[in-house]
Amino acid sequence: MRKLIFIMILTIFAYSVSAHTNNTKTGSLLWKVSGNGLKQPSYIFGTYHLFSFNFLDSVAGAKEAFAKSKQMVGELMMNDMNTLVKEIQAAGIMPQDTTWQMLLSEEDYKFVDKTLVETFGAGFQSFGIFKPSMISVLYDGNINQKNLPAVKQEETLDIWLQQEATKRGLTVVGLETVQDQVSALFESASLKQQAAYLVCLFKNADYSVNQTRKRIDLYRKADLNEMFKMLEDDITCPMSAEQQTALIDKRNKRWLEQLPAIMAKHPSFIAVGCLHLAGEIGLLQGLEKLGYKIEAVKK
C-alpha cells in the first residue's frame, strides 16, 4: 500500500485540466521568464511526475537552466516522503459515517470490487477504507506505471530535482502544502460524485489506458496544447466543474501570487506539472499578463 500511495503522490494531479487553450504557449517544456524588474531570468519547466530524471537530457537547455539557478521551486516540498505518504493516506480515508454501499448500487459495488481485485489483487476488504478519489488516483497511477519504464522513487523528475538542488546548496521552495493538494482532490467533489467518476473509469478501462499512452506521447513531444485539448474534449468521464476549478484554476492563481516575490529573491528553476503551464489560466500566460517576458527554450 505504501508503494501505491507513493505512485499516487506523483500522479495526483494528472487530473488537472483547463477549459481554455491557445496556440501561443506550446512546443517546449522549458520556458525562460525575464523582464518586469528581474535582475536575472528564472525558468519554468513542466514535469510529468513519473518520468525519470534522465528525460532532462532530451529537454533543450534544461540542465543548463538548472545549473544557472539559485533556487528550486516545486509544487510542494518532497524531502520527507514518509511523512507525505502518511498525510496523503490519512486525507484519503472515508468518513466513518459513510460506506461504499451508500455510494454505489449493488451492481456497481460488485463491479468495483471485482475490478479492484483484478487491478491491485485486493478488493474492498483492503480498499474500502478509502475515498473514491483516492482510488481513482491510485488507478491512474497504476496505468501510468505500466506504460512507463520502471523508475526508482529518488530518480523521478520532481524528487530528483529537489534532491539535486539540495546537494548543490540551492534553496528549495514549495508553492503549497500537502493539505492544499489533497483538499482540491478529496474535498472539492462530493463522495457521490467521486464514486460515479470511479465507476466510469473502471467501465472505460481500455479508453483510460489509451488516453494515458497518448498523453505520455504528447508530453515527449512537448505538445502542451494538444494535451489540454485531449482532456478538454474528454466527455467519457468528465470531472465536476468544481473539482476542475479546485485542481487547476485556484492553484494556478495562488502560485501566480507567490512567484513574483520568489523569482525576485533568487533566479529560480520552477518545476510543476506540465498541465499547469498552458492555457488562458495557465502559469505562462499568467506571468505574461503580470509583465514578464516568456520565451520557449528550444536550444
Side-chain angles (χ1 to χ4, degrees), residues 15 18 25 45 55 58 76 78 116 154 164 166 171 194 204 210 220 223 228 230 246 267 280:
Y15 295 99
S18 169
K25 297 290 186 290
F45 172 62
F55 178 73
S58 66
L76 76 165
M78 305 185 78
L116 286 170
E154 64 274 13
E164 185 65 18
T166 300
T171 302
Q194 294 178 30
N204 294 276
N210 289 334
R220 289 194 171 106
D223 194 339
F228 275 114
M230 182 183 76
E280 291 179 20

Side-chain angles (χ1 to χ4, degrees), residues 15 136 139-140 143-144 147 197-215 230 234 236-237:
Y15 295 99
S136 294
Y139 183 67
D140 184 72
I143 294 174
N144 274 276
N147 285 278
Y197 181 74
L198 177 65
V199 171
C200 185
L201 285 181
F202 282 3
K203 288 185 176 180
N204 294 276
D206 290 342
Y207 176 79
S208 297
V209 170
N210 289 334
Q211 288 291 89
T212 297
R213 290 172 177 170
K214 183 178 180 181
R215 187 165 60 239
M230 182 183 76
D234 186 0
T236 303
C237 298

Side-chain angles (χ1 to χ4, degrees), residues 21-36:
T21 60
N22 59 52
N23 298 315
T24 60
K25 297 290 186 290
T26 191
S28 177
L29 296 174
L30 181 67
W31 299 78
K32 181 180 178 181
V33 184
S34 61
N36 199 26

Side-chain angles (χ1 to χ4, degrees), residues 46-253:
T47 71
Y48 195 112
H49 304 309
L50 280 174
F51 268 55
S52 166
F53 77 95
N54 290 318
F55 178 73
L56 290 172
D57 292 330
S58 66
V59 180
K63 290 193 171 180
E64 293 81 358
F66 188 62
K68 295 177 185 176
S69 301
K70 302 299 182 184
Q71 185 167 249
M72 168 68 211
V73 182
E75 292 186 25
L76 76 165
M77 301 288 288
M78 305 185 78
N79 57 325
D80 186 352
M81 290 304 297
N82 288 328
T83 298
L84 284 180
V85 167
K86 291 178 182 178
E87 291 182 5
I88 293 284
Q89 186 168 349
I93 297 296
M94 186 83 86
Q96 291 185 356
D97 61 354
T98 306
T99 66
W100 279 92
Q101 289 88 344
M102 296 165 62
L103 302 176
L104 299 174
S105 66
E106 183 178 352
E107 179 182 356
D108 283 342
Y109 181 89
K110 292 179 179 177
F111 169 72
V112 171
D113 184 61
K114 179 175 179 289
T115 306
L116 286 170
V117 172
E118 293 172 348
T119 305
F120 300 109
F124 277 129
Q125 74 271 22
S126 295
F127 288 88
I129 63 169
F130 293 123
K131 296 176 181 177
S133 281
M134 180 78 155
I135 297 177
S136 294
V137 184
L138 289 171
Y139 183 67
D140 184 72
N142 183 66
I143 294 174
N144 274 276
Q145 191 179 29
K146 287 182 177 179
N147 285 278
L148 286 167
V151 181
K152 295 179 181 178
Q153 171 179 315
E154 64 274 13
E155 294 180 352
T156 51
L157 268 174
D158 299 70
I159 294 178
W160 184 86
L161 283 167
Q162 291 195 23
Q163 291 182 343
E164 185 65 18
T166 300
K167 290 178 183 177
R168 298 184 187 189
L170 277 64
T171 302
V172 179
V173 176
L175 291 169
E176 60 188 13
T177 65
V178 174
Q179 183 55 45
D180 292 329
Q181 291 201 350
V182 298
S183 292
L185 187 62
F186 299 146
E187 299 168 13
S188 59
S190 70
L191 293 172
K192 273 278 191 182
Q193 289 174 315
Q194 294 178 30
Y197 181 74
L198 177 65
V199 171
C200 185
L201 285 181
F202 282 3
K203 288 185 176 180
N204 294 276
D206 290 342
Y207 176 79
S208 297
V209 170
N210 289 334
Q211 288 291 89
T212 297
R213 290 172 177 170
K214 183 178 180 181
R215 187 165 60 239
I216 290 170
D217 183 58
L218 290 172
Y219 179 73
R220 289 194 171 106
K221 296 176 181 177
D223 194 339
L224 299 178
N225 276 348
E226 192 59 33
M227 290 180 76
F228 275 114
K229 186 175 185 299
M230 182 183 76
L231 290 168
E232 183 179 58
D233 295 342
D234 186 0
I235 60 173
T236 303
C237 298
M239 299 184 78
S240 69
E242 294 82 4
Q243 196 164 21
Q244 291 184 15
T245 298
L247 285 171
I248 196 81
D249 297 47
K250 291 182 178 179
R251 295 173 73 219
N252 282 357
K253 183 179 179 180

